[in-house]
Amino acid sequence: LPAAALQTPDIFATGSWDNEDNRISIWSAGDLGNAGLNGEYHGEPHLLCDIQHNGDVMDMQFLDQERIVVASSTGTVTIFRHHQNNQTLSANHRWEKAHYHVDQDTSCGGAACTGVVCNNPEIVTVGEDGRINLFRADQKDAVRTIDNADSSTLHAVTFLRTTEILTVNSIGQLKIWDLRQQRNEPSQIFSLAGDRVPLHCVDRHPNQQHIVATGGQDGMLSIWDIRQGTMPVSLLNAHEAEMWEVHFHPSDPDHLFTCSEDGSLWHWDTSTNVSEKPSFLHQGGRSTAYLSHSTINQSVVSAWLSNDPTKDRMEITNLIPNQTLSVNSLDVLGPCLVYGTDAEAIYVNRQLFA
């Protein structure tokens, strides 16, 4: 979203997997102008352009208005440029085998790059090889590589601050890395008690950087307060199978979205009547009551950190009532939600809060 944007951009990108010929595609979300009599929406998303991609697309993120960073199962990380004047895509830069098992030079040595996160011009990637790379969009070589960052697969990564990142791995750990430190050790390690359930996804609250949400193999949603303790502040029963993605709404983080292998996509809403009732912030076993008035806004005490956020203060809606196949990926911006499923379909919901 450019700083000067008055309206939400209506362009989104997708990547395919498990095809002989995988592709990166750029779509327009369609025109809202032709809603039907009951307000239902008829505009179809349409394909603007696409380009061939080597390997499965494991993750992707816009670096800026025109460039998209793509993580491949071959271990390569590519920046594609979307040329808006003539609607074409081209490969702008490529880091071959940024992730690899044995060595970078063997033909079969690539390890899947599982996650990518951008904070222009910086790009961080993680992979099955337990490696973390820090790239800059304008530089040929990695700025920093932490080779044995993890002995297990790193599944996802996000920025905590401009110099710190969070990773989640396949043994249920959340780790903070300070990229200013030359040590190749995490500055903090958090973990789910006992179970070592693989974590697949992580997102950080956009305004309160100490609040983090993760999801994993068991479909549970975990909320963490990284200022205290090493365990989640709340574990919420969610999906019946793997949770593939979790996202706070970027401008309205009382809303959170999760999607799963079980074919469901949940909208978690903690914004209900919060100003009228006292909220409870859980601190080391005792609850401290804060009366949150609408004047001091909700940022003072986040509903996400209450010891039982679901208790009379959270609404959960499944946005896909007749669930079928896995919902693999989702993204949300303004009133628009985009998700992709194993039914080889892409869905756009443009009236999220209607």
Side-chain angles (χ1 to χ4, degrees):
L1 189 62
L6 296 173
Q7 62 201 64
T8 310
D10 67 343
I11 286 179
F12 65 92
T14 60
S16 68
W17 67 289
D18 208 24
N19 297 328
E20 280 177 35
D21 174 26
N22 287 305
R23 304 193 83 75
I24 304 292
S25 308
I26 301 281
W27 306 78
S28 164
D31 173 26
L32 262 182
N34 48 1
L37 293 171
N38 307 328
E40 77 275 24
Y41 163 69
H42 296 304
E44 287 280 309
H46 61 271
L47 182 66
L48 297 175
C49 51
D50 64 354
I51 193 171
Q52 200 267 333
H53 176 268
N54 214 353
D56 294 339
V57 175
M58 305 294 285
D59 197 10
M60 60 197 307
Q61 197 175 55
F62 278 98
L63 177 69
D64 55 26
Q65 286 302 99
E66 296 190 325
R67 291 177 296 174
I68 306 158
V69 182
V70 180
S72 170
S73 58
T74 63
T76 295
V77 177
T78 311
I79 302 180
F80 289 95
R81 185 179 285 274
H82 173 215
H83 305 274
Q84 291 165 355
N85 50 359
N86 60 0
Q87 293 304 344
T88 56
L89 271 168
S90 64
N92 182 239
H93 190 80
R94 190 171 275 129
W95 291 282
E96 296 284 350
K97 291 207 185 121
H99 294 271
Y100 54 90
H101 282 304
V102 191
D103 63 86
Q104 251 170 322
D105 306 323
T106 48
S107 58
C108 58
C113 177
T114 50
V116 57
V117 66
C118 305
N119 185 14
N120 192 6
E122 299 192 314
I123 299 162
V124 174
T125 69
V126 295
E128 269 178 15
D129 53 358
R131 195 174 263 107
I132 298 173
N133 291 307
L134 171 63
F135 297 109
R136 278 209 185 88
D138 47 7
Q139 291 182 17
K140 194 162 79 63
D141 297 318
V143 178
R144 172 93 192 270
T145 295
I146 305 177
D147 271 329
N148 300 310
D150 213 301
S151 54
S152 58
T153 296
L154 289 169
H155 281 143
V157 59
T158 192
F159 274 99
L160 186 57
R161 297 180 183 79
T162 46
T163 55
E164 284 183 309
I165 56 166
L166 284 167
T167 59
V168 291
N169 69 13
S170 58
I171 55 171
Q173 292 172 321
L174 173 67
K175 296 182 181 180
I176 300 181
W177 306 83
D178 186 340
L179 297 172
R180 291 165 303 190
Q181 301 290 334
Q182 286 313 302
R183 299 180 305 126
N184 292 341
E185 301 289 324
S187 51
Q188 273 178 284
I189 301 179
F190 303 83
S191 60
L192 295 166
D195 297 347
R196 296 194 171 261
V197 176
L199 291 173
H200 291 304
C201 52
V202 58
D203 197 26
R204 180 211 87 193
H205 191 290
N207 317 335
Q208 299 178 41
Q209 295 170 331
H210 54 278
I211 302 175
V212 173
T214 63
Q217 190 87 37
D218 55 3
M220 298 277 277
L221 173 64
S222 309
I223 306 291
W224 312 69
D225 180 349
I226 58 170
R227 298 169 306 183
Q228 52 184 26
T230 56
M231 287 170 43
V233 286
S234 50
L235 285 167
L236 302 169
N237 272 315
H239 303 279
E240 288 159 29
E242 291 91 343
M243 185 190 296
W244 292 130
E245 195 122 44
V246 57
H247 275 296
F248 285 101
H249 191 287
S251 52
D252 197 351
D254 291 340
H255 299 267
L256 179 103
F257 299 85
T258 58
C259 64
S260 166
E261 180 71 30
D262 67 9
S264 61
L265 192 162
W266 286 15
H267 173 190
W268 307 69
D269 176 4
T270 62
S271 66
T272 46
N273 309 327
V274 164
S275 53
E276 282 104 74
K277 53 177 123 140
S279 30
F280 292 93
L281 179 64
H282 193 55
Q283 287 177 325
R286 66 175 199 279
S287 295
T288 318
Y290 288 88
L291 285 165
S292 57
H293 301 289
S294 42
T295 46
I296 54 174
N297 204 329
Q298 220 191 318
S299 58
V300 181
V301 177
S302 173
W304 293 113
L305 293 186
S306 68
N307 37 5
D308 182 9
T310 47
K311 193 166 175 278
D312 67 39
R313 58 183 307 154
M314 189 182 303
E315 285 180 39
I316 302 167
T317 317
N318 182 9
L319 298 180
I320 314 176
N322 344 328
Q323 46 204 51
T324 49
L325 298 169
S326 172
V327 184
N328 299 323
S329 185
L330 74 93
D331 201 11
V332 60
L333 187 61
C336 192
L337 170 77
V338 178
Y339 57 98
T341 75
D342 266 358
E344 303 194 357
I346 298 158
Y347 297 86
V348 180
N349 175 347
R350 300 208 42 168
Q351 295 167 313
L352 203 48
F353 301 114

